[in-house]
Amino acid sequence: MWNQHSYQPGNKQGSLVIIPTPIGNLEDMTFRAIQNLKDADLIACEDTRQTKKLCNHFAISTPLVSYHEHNKRKSGEKLLRLLQSGHTIAIVSDAGMPGVSDPGFELVKQCVENQIPVIPLPGANAALPALVSSGLPTDHFYFYGFLQRDKKTRRDELEYIASIRDTFILYESPHRLKETMKELSEACGKYRQASICRELTKKYEEIIRGSLEELHQWSEKVQIRGEFCLIIEGTGELPEEKDQWWLKLSVIEHIEHYLKEEDMSSKAAIKQVAVDRGLPKREVYQMYHVE
């Protein structure tokens, strides 16, 4: 257990400051974010060229260092040593909140493991503006991010998210949007309501609302440009009590029931338990094979 007091004096180590940056409109940059970027000893960024433009716009002269998906292990080790020696490091992605479908998680995890304060700033992101403008329920929602590219994994993911009770959020790139809308319509049903948000906060911001079938047809007819955030209606249904016979069982016991009583393979049993409990299959796999 570690109780972090973010702003108490006397901390001998540095701090990692998570700073969201605009997803399109530079006016979404906060005063606090600008000041923290100026005060940091170093800015770890996904693309130094992109962040340099932001820094130039706001007269930020703090040195930049590259930290992205392909160098995060080696770069992360160097950044950790600097943090341990008392440096304050700001981490940013090209746009939005670092660590959410962008680099950052691994460095945050290393800081937590080494009891180095991690200070998150609120700010720009695509998911919440897309959600609240969709017209779909917002009291409960599920952020999923990007679907995997591997076809089999993707099929399992679609099967899982199609059963989610609440509104869920996906990110998608322009060159995969048509395929994704087709797959969502097939997996969730063509009448499920959804919205597609394109180029949020930018000049060509567009929000298209309708059924999954209508949105799939729209994607086939237009020229696809920009980054997309998809908001999809959940099933709105709770599992019936009779289907929850497994409630008193642990996840391991639940899997073992299918192995012994239903003569399932471990792969099939894990998949069925994930469906029963509304959990990601990889999480159930981790519980069974690792824990």
Side-chain angles (χ1 to χ4, degrees):
M1 179 177 171
W2 171 45
N3 188 352
Q4 173 185 318
H5 294 280
S6 301
Y7 305 107
Q8 297 300 311
N11 176 41
K12 295 181 180 180
Q13 298 192 99
S15 298
L16 179 69
V17 187
I18 303 174
I19 301 183
T21 55
I23 60 175
N25 192 323
L26 288 176
E27 292 184 5
D28 290 333
M29 193 71 172
T30 68
F31 293 118
R32 185 182 174 203
I34 294 169
Q35 191 59 55
N36 272 263
L37 288 174
K38 289 181 176 181
D39 292 343
D41 296 306
L42 195 66
I43 300 172
C45 52
E46 191 174 0
D47 185 335
T48 55
R49 295 165 300 179
Q50 187 74 14
T51 302
K52 188 67 176 175
K53 296 176 187 176
L54 180 77
C55 289
N56 288 341
H57 184 83
F58 292 107
I60 298 166
S61 58
T62 307
L64 307 179
V65 63
S66 175
Y67 178 81
H68 51 71
E69 184 64 28
H70 304 293
N71 75 349
K72 61 188 178 185
R73 182 174 179 180
K74 187 174 181 180
S75 181
E77 291 171 355
K78 292 179 181 178
L79 294 173
L80 185 63
R81 287 195 293 270
L82 289 170
L83 288 161
Q84 289 172 325
S85 65
H87 290 74
T88 295
I89 297 176
I91 183 169
V92 300
S93 64
D94 286 348
M97 178 68 76
V100 179
S101 295
D102 275 322
F105 164 72
E106 289 82 0
L107 186 56
V108 170
K109 186 172 185 290
Q110 287 176 299
C111 287
V112 172
E113 290 171 348
N114 288 275
Q115 297 193 1
I116 296 169
V118 177
I119 300 173
L121 271 60
N125 68 86
L128 292 181
L131 172 68
V132 298
S133 63
S134 68
L136 295 171
T138 59
D139 47 349
H140 301 287
F141 58 90
Y142 186 103
F143 175 79
Y144 198 86
F146 286 97
L147 294 168
Q148 294 295 315
R149 298 184 186 185
D150 173 72
K151 287 186 177 180
K152 185 181 184 309
T153 306
R154 192 178 175 90
R155 189 164 56 247
D156 290 341
E157 287 181 318
L158 286 162
E159 181 181 334
Y160 166 65
I161 62 175
S163 67
I164 294 174
R165 175 195 175 194
D166 302 305
T167 304
F168 61 91
I169 305 169
L170 299 176
Y171 286 162
E172 193 51 277
S173 60
H175 61 278
R176 285 198 296 272
L177 182 71
K178 291 180 182 180
E179 178 187 3
T180 296
M181 296 314 301
K182 180 176 184 294
E183 291 172 333
L184 283 168
S185 181
E186 292 170 350
C188 300
K190 61 184 181 180
Y191 299 114
R192 188 89 68 95
Q193 295 298 299
S195 76
I196 296 176
C197 295
R198 184 181 80 86
E199 296 290 82
L200 282 169
T201 79
K202 300 176 185 176
K203 180 180 179 180
Y204 296 104
E205 176 178 290
E206 187 175 12
I207 303 174
I208 309 97
R209 304 176 182 89
S211 69
L212 284 173
E213 175 62 20
E214 290 171 332
L215 296 180
H216 171 223
Q217 291 176 359
W218 170 86
S219 70
E220 293 287 350
K221 295 175 183 176
V222 299
Q223 187 174 12
I224 303 298
R225 290 180 178 174
E227 297 299 321
F228 293 86
C229 188
L230 315 178
I231 312 295
I232 297 96
E233 180 183 26
T235 65
E237 300 172 354
L238 281 171
E240 294 184 17
E241 191 66 33
K242 65 180 181 181
D243 294 330
Q244 296 182 318
W245 54 267
W246 40 263
L247 278 176
K248 294 182 180 180
L249 301 180
S250 68
V251 171
I252 305 301
E253 290 169 338
H254 194 170
I255 293 170
E256 289 175 346
H257 168 85
Y258 284 126
L259 292 174
K260 296 173 183 177
E261 303 299 327
E262 306 291 339
D263 197 27
M264 287 185 177
S265 66
S266 60
K267 183 178 179 181
I270 287 169
K271 182 177 180 180
Q272 186 58 51
V273 169
V275 172
D276 289 349
R277 292 176 178 260
L279 294 172
K281 190 170 73 171
R282 59 181 173 274
E283 185 177 318
V284 178
Y285 179 92
Q286 183 88 357
M287 291 179 188
Y288 185 66
H289 287 287
V290 177
E291 299 179 5

